[in-house]
Amino acid sequence: MSVTSLGYVVLEATDPSEWKEFAVDLLGLAVESETLDQLRLRMDERTYRLDIRRGDTNRVVALGWEVRGPHELAELTVALEDAGTPVRLGTAEEAR
């Protein structure tokens, strides 16, 4: 299996704005978009890499991995599911 990089992280946070100072001032990320309920941060040419959404808890909701192609995606899916990790492939609309 060949994961090439971490594509994105979706977090749930009780107060997404608390992430802003940490992510911008300490990590050097740029704010892509911000509302009372969501903060999206970018670090490179991608639209965003970190998506922080208001919720009842502080937790990791989803991780998106980049792979070389469809074969590697299928291998990663099987490996994750075999390890007991649920996998949900995004739609074409979500990918856009």
Side-chain angles (χ1 to χ4, degrees), residues 6-11 13 15-35 37-53:
L6 177 64
Y8 60 88
V9 176
V10 179
L11 301 172
D15 185 359
S17 67
E18 290 181 347
W19 276 85
K20 188 175 180 181
E21 183 177 343
F22 169 73
V24 174
D25 295 341
L26 185 63
L27 299 180
L29 295 149
V31 174
E32 174 61 31
S33 64
E34 181 179 15
T35 68
D37 293 324
Q38 185 177 39
L39 175 65
R40 283 188 171 175
L41 301 157
R42 70 184 302 157
M43 62 188 340
D44 55 19
E45 75 283 349
R46 300 286 188 189
T47 303
Y48 67 90
R49 294 284 186 169
L50 192 56
D51 182 351
I52 303 152
R53 302 171 183 181

Side-chain angles (χ1 to χ4, degrees), residues 1-2 6 12 30 36 40 44 46-47 49 54 62 67 72 79 83 86-87 93:
M1 145 180 51
S2 74
L6 177 64
E12 183 178 288
L36 289 175
R40 283 188 171 175
D44 55 19
R46 300 286 188 189
T47 303
R49 294 284 186 169
R54 182 176 305 281
V67 295
E72 291 80 6
V87 174
E93 183 176 321

Side-chain angles (χ1 to χ4, degrees), residues 76-87:
L76 178 59
T77 299
V78 169
L80 289 168
E81 289 175 338
D82 286 350
T85 303
V87 174

